[in-house]
Amino acid sequence: MPAALVANVLVSGLLAGLVYGLMALGLSVIFGVVRVVNFAHGEMTVLAMYAAFVLFKAFGLDPLVSLLPVAALLFVAGYVLQARLINPFVTRPEHEQFILLAGVALIIVNALLMIFGPDAQHVDLPYAYDSLALGPLLIDKVRLYAALAAVAVALALFVFFRRSRIGTAIRASADNLVGAAVVGLDFKRLFALTFGIGAACAGVAGTLMILLDDATPALAPDFTLLSFTIVIVGGLGSMAGALLGGVLIGVSEALAGLLIAPSMKSMVSFALLVLVLVVRPQGLMGGKR
Amino acid sequence: MSTALLSVENVSKRFRGLLAVNDVSFALARGEIVGLIGPNGAGKTTLFNVVAGVLAPDSGDVRWEGRSIAGLAPHAVCRAGIARTFQLVRPFMALSVEDNVLIGALAAERSLAAARARAEGVLRRLELWEKRRVPAASLTLPDRKCLELARALATGARLLLLDETMAGLRPTEIDRMVAILRELNRADGVTILLIEHVMRAVMALASRIVVLHHGEKIAEGAPAAVVRHPEVLKSYLGEEAS
Amino acid sequence: MIRALRAALLPRVQWLAALLLVFLLLAPWLVDRYTLSILILVLYFAYLGQAWNVMMGFAGLLSIGHALYVGLGAYVSAGLFVHFGVPALLGLVPGMLAASLAGAAIGWLGLRFRIGGVYFALLTIAFAEFARIGFDHIDWLGASGGLFLPVTGGGGFDLWRLSGGIALYYYVSLALAAGAFVLCAALLRSRLGYYWLAIREDEAAAQALGIDVFRCRMAAVVVSAAMTAAGGTFIAFYNNNLFPESTFAIGRSIDIILGPIVGGLGTLVGPVLGAFVLTPLGEVLLGVTQAAGLDLPGLELVMHGLLLVIIIRALPGGVWPALRRRLGFLPGAGGGAR
């Protein structure tokens, strides 16, 4: 197995992993703060993929440009979903939350199926086949741009949560709900905001994803599972963990695809999930639960 | 030393820096009623939890009928013959009084029919038979306490660990409970270790009292002597009182 | 038990129940082939829902990967039939065994390592997905191309090999659904059943009464997995073909849980009621849209999604608990079990 091939596969996996990481970041924010089991996370991501696709087909917008409108769209959708539908479920048992969101997921993914059909939808970009040569490495430009965008958004989010007032308020609520209430923070609004942010992450990730892969409704449940796997492996509540987990999964899936068989690559993620749940449930970067 | 039924030997239990129980030892002989008293936070319930198997002691041993039971799982401790009640009663709310006690009886009997018969016996004894079909959630507090006791009794336990059974009961109800416990002890030879704050009940029932304070045993002996013990008074009332 | 059941129902409802039973028994003579095939699906899902309910209701473990056990039961018995001619009712047993082992492993992981709630659910999904991808590569079982069961017996009534006309499959599915109901009712009145109820009510109190919670929960998991596998054998011989993609898909697992959730989690009647409500509703919807000239793949599932959302918001316990109060079940009946 030529080293160059392995290196290229690794890099490819790493770049894709950063996008997955951003998607998982959104889930980490939702699951970690609002404590809602967002079983529709993958569906939201795929919704964003289709939104980017539509904007491309209708206006010729490069997905990298559609990032903003799609993210805004998903933000609003997430905000409304949380405020109107999900809010009463924040304190309800997990299986009820799961069912609610599984229902939402079913609606989203099958609505997409009804509108667009099961076939793959592709975005044809002029630079789709360009690549950057870096020594022995041949990096696809689309992958690179997608990964860079993902990292940029993740950094922006990090700054938001650490520096802004709202971000701090959100982190406070995540840490200590009662304490936050005593201090007078408005939960319903904060939760809706957080869910919106998480959905927006999925939105950005989805828009970037269409650069990497064709859009089909069937991807949705895979993405949901992937998001959860990454969050658990990386550690709930850790933003860096989500990115790290994404990269880890991206790289291991890419390697597995190369060394074993492409169709078996998700088995690696599942094996990792089981391993982490059993051995180190708080994930790589999570604190004590 | 005569073979004690239950023997707590140098038990210590620590919770992340807090020494909840510190080198406590005492023993119970068959047929005794022993009271375990002490101010709040003295480590009484923690000690109960160690004996009952909910917690494993960090050091020391608990011996029951000659063998070590330290670290056994709670259900194994029950099967060995020790039953416990909870400070805040925990009836199976959605189930009837009868079913609650039946579940306890299943620990002692192989067949469902035999367990039912045993449960009936216990229910009649504690005067709960009339209410057997009532869901536990509908019972008053004194009745719930009675149910908790009935359930524990139905397991055929030879030692009862009672955790603040009298809390929240009115004087007449306390007297009734005391009478029931005395009768159980006298007629069936059930050994009882009870945590109590209601001194009226402790004085009426216990032949011996063990006092804990800050996790340590500070006194042990006949009730009359213990309640006048200077260390005991200090622990309850503070330095000035003694 | 029949007496207890009758005593718990109002006379009006007793008549209804009896009528339903008679209808079900005579269905092959009363309805057309298409409706009969719908009924088979309803009964099949009522059966699987009941099996799943055992794990959720009594082990307290949310499994969204039950398609794993269906698939194991299906593939093991079908594989044995295709390669060794093992008749269905015999091949049933190794299938149930395989599923029991898988269930025991997953249950052990969940219970021993205290993996609960959504994490456990994810675990079950992961295992089902693992199987889906794994079986795609097992050539002996047809791999992704599928496993095809040769139809034998020339269409004659062969229960042992589960081959025959649609009436055969109908009665088998009816037997399964009714059998599951009876089995669960019987289990609930047994020692294990009482222990399950106790654990569900208050785990710590149950332990203090000598109940080995781990063992009882594992028993629920294994029973649930084994029962589900039997359903898998049925569906394999009914459809005569198996594909890993569709057999182990997460959509199948969600189909299984829809009935009990809509009908009533942890109740005996819930899964049956749920199946009877959902499947015909889906067919009606399909019929209406097709009549209107629309071909909308996914509409039925959108409806399922909507139903899930509506039910979980309005009646989180399911339809049955709300319904039984209106039907006049006497308060003392069942003690929470039904």
Side-chain angles (χ1 to χ4, degrees):
Chain A
M1 186 127 308
L5 179 62
V6 175
N8 272 309
V9 164
L10 275 174
V11 168
S12 186
L14 178 111
L15 295 174
L18 284 169
V19 179
Y20 296 152
L22 181 64
M23 174 176 67
L25 191 61
L27 180 65
S28 186
V29 167
I30 293 173
F31 196 14
V33 174
V34 191
R35 302 225 182 274
V36 163
V37 181
N38 185 16
F39 217 69
H41 202 74
E43 280 73 10
M44 291 180 189
T45 308
V46 172
L47 180 65
M49 281 179 94
Y50 275 102
F53 167 73
V54 164
L55 285 175
F56 175 78
K57 265 269 142 50
F59 305 113
L61 284 180
D62 186 320
L64 289 171
V65 171
S66 330
L67 273 183
L68 216 54
V70 173
L73 174 72
L74 264 286
F75 175 82
V76 168
Y79 189 101
V80 169
L81 201 66
Q82 166 65 26
R84 286 299 158 83
L85 190 66
I86 302 177
N87 205 46
F89 283 77
V90 174
T91 44
R92 294 229 228 156
E94 272 179 339
H95 74 264
E96 289 189 22
Q97 287 180 10
F98 157 75
I99 290 159
L100 178 72
L101 282 143
V104 170
L106 271 176
I107 296 172
I108 296 177
V109 77
N110 286 287
L112 286 172
L113 185 65
M114 285 200 299
I115 300 172
F116 295 98
D119 299 326
Q121 304 294 354
H122 184 74
V123 162
D124 259 316
L125 292 168
Y127 55 90
Y129 299 103
D130 291 350
S131 41
L132 213 63
L134 222 70
L137 299 171
L138 216 61
I139 307 174
D140 288 333
K141 278 196 179 160
V142 271
R143 282 187 182 263
L144 188 63
Y145 295 160
L148 287 173
V151 172
V153 173
L155 275 170
L157 223 63
F158 191 75
V159 168
F160 170 76
F161 278 112
R162 293 275 148 184
R163 295 296 167 84
S164 76
R165 280 187 66 192
I166 299 182
T168 315
I170 292 174
R171 275 168 49 227
S173 318
D175 273 336
N176 188 342
L177 211 59
V178 177
V182 168
V183 172
L185 294 177
D186 176 1
F187 287 112
K188 200 164 165 204
R189 198 173 81 92
L190 282 176
F191 283 167
L193 213 66
T194 311
F195 203 100
I197 293 174
C201 278
V204 173
T207 319
L208 295 175
M209 212 75 87
I210 194 118
L211 293 169
L212 307 174
D213 216 346
D214 296 341
T216 67
L219 282 176
D222 294 340
F223 280 167
T224 301
L225 196 55
L226 192 63
S227 305
F228 274 100
T229 305
I230 295 174
V231 164
I232 290 172
V233 167
L236 189 62
S238 164
M239 293 177 63
L243 281 180
L244 189 68
V247 167
L248 188 66
I249 297 281
V251 167
S252 38
E253 284 209 346
L255 276 178
L258 184 68
L259 299 170
I260 313 173
S263 50
M264 306 257 265
K265 54 185 184 131
S266 23
M267 284 174 104
V268 172
S269 317
F270 299 141
L272 255 153
L273 176 68
V274 175
L275 203 67
V276 170
L277 278 175
V278 168
V279 171
R280 196 186 154 87
Q282 68 267 39
L284 290 172
M285 305 205 50
K288 279 271 167 197
R289 258 203 286 157
Chain B
M1 184 163 75
S2 65
T3 43
L5 190 63
L6 177 78
S7 147
V8 173
E9 296 166 9
N10 305 100
V11 165
S12 293
K13 182 67 188 172
R14 183 180 285 275
F15 290 118
R16 270 207 264 176
L18 174 71
L19 198 55
V21 174
N22 188 2
D23 197 34
V24 171
S25 304
F26 63 90
L28 266 79
R30 191 176 308 274
E32 272 199 285
I33 301 183
V34 173
L36 186 61
I37 69 173
N40 277 322
K44 307 186 296 291
T45 301
T46 306
L47 191 61
F48 253 34
N49 282 330
V50 169
V51 174
V54 176
L55 300 169
D58 290 330
S59 59
D61 197 10
V62 180
R63 302 194 76 84
W64 164 253
E65 291 180 339
R67 63 185 185 104
S68 171
I69 60 166
L72 272 188
H75 68 265
V77 170
C78 174
R79 298 272 170 177
I82 302 176
R84 58 91 53 93
T85 62
F86 293 89
Q87 199 168 344
L88 295 170
V89 289
R90 308 177 78 132
F92 299 127
M93 292 291 195
L95 303 183
S96 67
V97 165
E98 183 173 26
D99 282 346
N100 264 269
V101 180
L102 174 64
I103 290 172
L106 282 170
E109 302 288 350
R110 291 261 70 198
S111 80
L112 214 58
R116 249 185 246 283
R118 177 181 276 266
E120 176 172 347
V122 172
L123 283 169
R124 285 193 189 278
R125 193 96 174 265
L126 295 182
E127 292 168 21
L128 283 173
W129 183 243
E130 303 300 306
K131 302 187 181 137
R132 67 188 179 281
R133 294 207 202 283
V134 175
S138 311
L139 291 177
T140 59
L141 182 65
D143 278 341
R144 285 191 196 180
K145 297 233 166 194
C146 241
L147 177 61
E148 185 104 338
L149 181 64
R151 211 171 57 175
L153 209 59
T155 64
R158 295 184 287 290
L159 169 66
L160 287 179
L161 303 175
L162 304 177
D163 198 344
E164 296 196 40
T165 312
M166 311 296 170
L169 296 181
R170 281 182 269 118
T172 36
E173 292 154 357
I174 293 177
D175 290 338
R176 179 168 167 255
M177 192 60 93
V178 166
I180 292 173
L181 289 173
R182 240 207 224 120
E183 173 64 20
L184 284 172
N185 173 256
R186 193 194 59 82
D188 298 14
V190 176
T191 311
I192 300 175
L193 177 64
L194 53 130
I195 294 178
E196 243 343 301
H197 283 297
V198 177
M199 291 315 287
R200 174 199 186 101
V202 180
M203 300 304 276
L205 282 170
S207 54
R208 200 156 48 92
I209 296 183
V210 172
V211 188
L212 290 188
H213 184 48
H214 289 328
E216 291 176 2
K217 184 173 85 172
I218 59 170
E220 180 177 357
V226 164
V227 296
R228 281 197 281 277
H229 193 295
E231 285 299 314
V232 177
L233 290 173
K234 197 157 72 176
S235 76
Y236 271 101
L237 303 171
E239 280 289 338
E240 299 85 51
S242 63
Chain C
M1 192 185 86
I2 310 238
R3 211 174 313 136
L5 213 58
R6 286 187 65 188
L9 293 169
L10 285 181
R12 183 182 349 145
V13 182
Q14 280 185 39
W15 272 112
L16 232 74
L19 221 67
L20 182 67
L21 209 64
V22 169
F23 167 73
L24 284 175
L25 282 169
L26 298 177
W29 287 277
L30 297 175
V31 298
D32 65 9
R33 199 190 161 84
Y34 173 68
T35 313
L36 204 63
S37 70
I38 301 296
L39 275 175
I40 291 178
L41 270 181
V42 171
L43 292 166
Y44 171 67
F45 279 109
Y47 173 75
L48 287 184
Q50 197 77 272
W52 176 86
N53 212 9
V54 171
M55 188 150 148
M56 180 67 206
F58 303 122
L61 294 171
L62 174 63
S63 163
I64 313 169
H66 248 57
L68 172 69
Y69 310 122
V70 174
L72 282 174
Y75 267 102
V76 169
S77 53
L80 288 172
F81 176 66
V82 165
H83 291 287
F84 304 118
V86 176
L89 288 193
L90 208 60
L92 182 71
V93 178
M96 288 173 78
L97 209 67
S100 301
L101 284 171
I106 296 174
W108 181 79
L109 277 177
L111 294 172
R112 171 72 181 73
F113 294 96
R114 306 216 141 264
I115 303 170
V118 66
Y119 297 104
F120 181 79
L122 288 168
L123 206 67
T124 62
I125 297 175
F127 275 102
E129 285 290 285
F130 209 85
R132 182 176 64 85
I133 298 172
F135 272 71
D136 257 350
H137 297 266
I138 302 181
D139 292 319
W140 194 74
L141 289 171
S144 54
L147 185 67
F148 295 90
L149 285 73
V151 182
T152 61
F157 190 97
D158 188 351
L159 181 62
W160 191 235
R161 283 180 188 70
L162 267 189
S163 126
I166 195 168
L168 170 82
Y169 293 106
Y170 173 74
Y171 282 115
V172 171
S173 68
L174 182 60
L176 279 176
F181 191 90
V182 168
L183 177 69
C184 290
L187 275 175
L188 277 174
R189 306 179 125 259
S190 74
R191 183 195 205 91
L192 185 59
Y194 275 107
Y195 279 359
W196 280 341
L197 288 175
I199 294 171
R200 188 164 78 180
E201 283 293 307
D202 191 327
E203 192 179 324
Q207 283 189 316
L209 292 174
I211 298 174
D212 187 342
V213 173
F214 176 79
R215 264 231 214 110
C216 289
R217 285 195 159 138
M218 281 295 268
V221 171
V222 169
V223 167
S224 177
M227 279 177 76
T228 308
T233 301
F234 169 77
I235 205 71
F237 285 84
Y238 177 52
N239 285 335
N240 281 312
N241 59 63
L242 289 173
F243 302 91
E245 282 304 312
S246 53
T247 306
F248 293 103
I250 191 171
R252 297 290 83 67
S253 293
I254 294 188
D255 287 341
I256 295 175
I257 72 176
L258 279 175
I261 288 170
V262 166
L265 218 54
T267 63
L268 274 183
V269 178
V272 181
L273 185 65
F276 270 90
V277 163
L278 285 172
T279 315
L281 215 60
E283 292 298 318
V284 162
L285 200 67
L286 214 63
V288 162
T289 53
Q290 278 176 346
L294 300 162
D295 180 27
L296 293 168
L299 183 64
E300 186 179 351
L301 290 172
V302 169
M303 185 211 77
H304 278 174
L306 267 164
L307 211 65
L308 274 181
V309 171
I310 293 171
I311 292 282
I312 202 74
R313 277 199 61 127
L315 295 167
V319 173
W320 177 239
L323 195 62
R324 74 175 160 199
R325 261 177 275 132
R326 302 203 73 218
L327 285 180
F329 264 80
L330 302 175
R338 279 184 244 137

